[in-house]
Amino acid sequence: DSAVQAVVLGMLVAAAARSTAAVADNGEMASSGTPKVAFTIGHLPKAGPYVAALRLVGLDVEVFTPHNPPAALDGYAGLVLGGGGDVDPKYYGEVPAGTRNPNPKRDEMELELFRLARERDLAVLGICRGLQLMNVACGGTLHQDIGTTHSDVHHAVNVPPGSKLHGIVGNESFEIVSRHHQAIKNAAPGLSVTASAPDGIVEAIEDAARRFVIGVQWHPEDSVDSREDQALFRSFARAAGVAGD
């Protein structure tokens, strides 16, 4: 029930926060007066590192799963789409060909939330599956299975100048944590590819027409001691209303 979920989440967040304490000396912690963002995930036990990373940059976070979807985004300053299982290929006009264990309830929840967030020009950050969901929602397609070359590895990403992401990270190349077996095939109309891996896999997209709509294929919550990933979370927090440094 909800009480058990709250206890589990509290334990997970506390553990994740301890592991990231080295970057918590900025004093920015979530409180009742801070902007609140909605975070979506498939399974509650996976939420801890994401929630800890968002709280470190001064955000209040409410976690939603397919079992407790929000009715709307009223009162939220932003939306974070977390990682997890595969998006059902029916949403981009394909039949399953390598897709694993899609969750229609999660797909439907996040597609609607992303639509609402863009409509209201809320700050949106998509992480791993979140990037893929954003691309599909805007009319793009996915490679349903790229094998194991991006499964639990560290590799460099190339971020050419000229994008919002490049302006945030201030670097054309840095190391990231990669953990996925699907990837963007065709970027959706209106979304720009702003980062790529050495093998050409799309690593980031953004909607330049919105204040902050960015998706990254990697897992910044797993490396919050990285200057670039700290900058990404801080920029999202500022877009959601947290005062700048």
Side-chain angles (χ1 to χ4, degrees), residues 194-208:
T194 57
S196 59
D199 60 2
I201 291 294
V202 173
E203 291 287 346
I205 54 174
E206 64 186 53
D207 182 349

Side-chain angles (χ1 to χ4, degrees), residues 108-242:
E108 292 166 10
M109 175 184 74
E110 291 181 332
L111 287 166
E112 176 62 11
L113 291 176
F114 181 58
R115 183 192 68 79
L116 287 172
R118 291 185 79 218
E119 185 178 88
R120 301 181 186 188
D121 200 20
L122 300 182
V124 180
L125 176 62
I127 296 175
C128 196
R129 169 201 155 90
L131 163 140
Q132 296 166 10
L133 187 286
M134 290 165 57
N135 188 57
V136 169
C138 294
T141 61
L142 304 178
H143 293 291
Q144 293 191 44
D145 192 356
I146 61 169
T148 60
T149 56
H150 285 257
S151 297
D152 294 309
V153 298
H154 290 69
H155 64 76
V157 292
N158 179 45
V159 187
S163 67
K164 183 182 293 290
L165 179 63
H166 181 270
I168 291 168
V169 300
N171 200 346
E172 291 187 37
S173 181
F174 57 95
E175 290 286 313
I176 56 89
V177 178
S178 183
R179 191 168 66 249
H180 61 101
H181 86 103
Q182 294 196 322
I184 288 178
K185 180 163 57 177
N186 297 309
L191 297 180
S192 302
V193 174
T194 57
S196 59
D199 60 2
I201 291 294
V202 173
E203 291 287 346
I205 54 174
E206 64 186 53
D207 182 349
R210 298 298 197 279
R211 290 186 307 110
F212 191 108
V213 175
I214 292 178
V216 296
Q217 184 61 77
W218 66 88
H219 283 271
E221 79 283 0
D222 285 347
S223 55
V224 290
D225 55 343
S226 154
R227 184 187 66 80
E228 292 84 4
D229 288 331
Q230 283 186 48
L232 178 61
F233 280 119
R234 288 184 183 282
S235 183
F236 171 73
R238 285 193 294 270
V242 172

Side-chain angles (χ1 to χ4, degrees), residues 49-60:
Y50 299 92
V51 174
L54 293 165
R55 287 181 173 171
L56 283 174
V57 293
L59 290 165
D60 193 5

